[in-house]
């Protein structure tokens, strides 16, 4: 792939991740967005529709993960990296969505901080931020 095309494609993909974040209030049902923007440590958990919340959180995770996998492919052009990354994303999703569901159903003020930070892995491309430098470092060491 020509370098200019690669850079334009990467720019577009990162822009998509930014747009998902910028329009999160319009695109996704998530009462926790405004809850965590406020002084949440002293508030009760917001009212929520659990099935709708899990569905939209899953959609957001799938969108971020799909874009992240394409970014990893454009960077490294290595299918084994993509296969490994898919395993990481699926495993992380199963673990994180289970914990997320627990925290949504059993909301306690003492767990809000842990819930807030764990939720970030589902709604933001943090796994990409971890995998990209890890694979780059692995490439350098080969």
């Amino acid at each position: 792939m020509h370098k200019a095309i690669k850079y334009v494609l990467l720019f577009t993909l990162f822009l998509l991740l930014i747009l998902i974040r910028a329009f999160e209030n319009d695109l996704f049902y998530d009462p926790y967005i405004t809850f965590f923007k406020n002084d949440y440590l002293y508030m009760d958990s917001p009212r929520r529709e659990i099935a709708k919340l899990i569905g939209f959180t899953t959609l957001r995770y799938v969108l971020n993960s799909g874009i992240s996998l394409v970014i990893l492919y454009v960077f490294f052009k290595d299918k084994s990296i993509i296969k490994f990354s898919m395993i990481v994303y699926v495993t992380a999703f199963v673990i994180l969505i289970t914990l997320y569901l627990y925290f949504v159903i059993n909301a306690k003020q003492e767990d809000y901080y842990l819930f807030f930070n764990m939720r970030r892995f589902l709604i933001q491309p943090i796994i990409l931020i971890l995998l990209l430098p890890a694979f780059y470092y692995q490439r350098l060491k080969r």
Side-chain angles (χ1 to χ4, degrees), residues 48-112:
R48 67 246 172 243
E49 296 177 46
I50 294 175
K52 188 175 178 181
L53 179 62
I54 297 299
F56 276 100
T57 303
T58 300
L59 173 63
R60 188 165 177 182
Y61 186 85
V62 168
L63 289 172
N64 283 333
S65 300
I67 294 167
S68 297
L69 288 170
V70 175
I71 288 171
L72 289 170
Y73 182 75
V74 171
F75 257 103
F76 300 108
K77 298 274 193 280
D78 187 344
K79 289 183 182 178
S80 64
I81 285 177
I82 303 307
K83 287 178 186 176
F84 177 77
S85 298
M86 286 176 68
I87 292 168
V88 169
Y89 276 106
V90 169
T91 304
F93 178 74
V94 169
I95 293 167
L96 291 170
I97 203 71
T98 303
L99 290 171
Y100 184 71
L101 191 56
Y102 170 79
F103 284 123
V104 166
I105 293 171
N106 302 309
K108 297 177 188 153
Q109 283 184 330
E110 60 266 13
D111 295 333
Y112 285 168

Side-chain angles (χ1 to χ4, degrees), residues 1 7 16 19 21 32 37 44 51 56 66 69 72 76-77 79 81-82 89 91 99 113-114 120-121 128 131:
M1 181 182 304
Y7 291 136
L16 283 174
L19 289 172
R21 173 70 184 207
Y32 289 106
K37 285 183 181 176
D44 289 331
F56 276 100
L69 288 170
L72 289 170
F76 300 108
K77 298 274 193 280
K79 289 183 182 178
I81 285 177
I82 303 307
Y89 276 106
T91 304
L99 290 171
Y113 186 71
L114 179 62
R120 295 172 94 182
F121 280 90
L128 174 66
L131 290 178

Side-chain angles (χ1 to χ4, degrees), residues 12-25 27-28 60 64:
T12 304
L13 291 166
F14 279 108
L15 183 64
L16 283 174
L17 290 175
I18 292 167
L19 289 172
I20 287 172
R21 173 70 184 207
F23 293 104
E24 65 188 354
N25 290 327
L27 297 173
F28 307 105
R60 188 165 177 182
N64 283 333

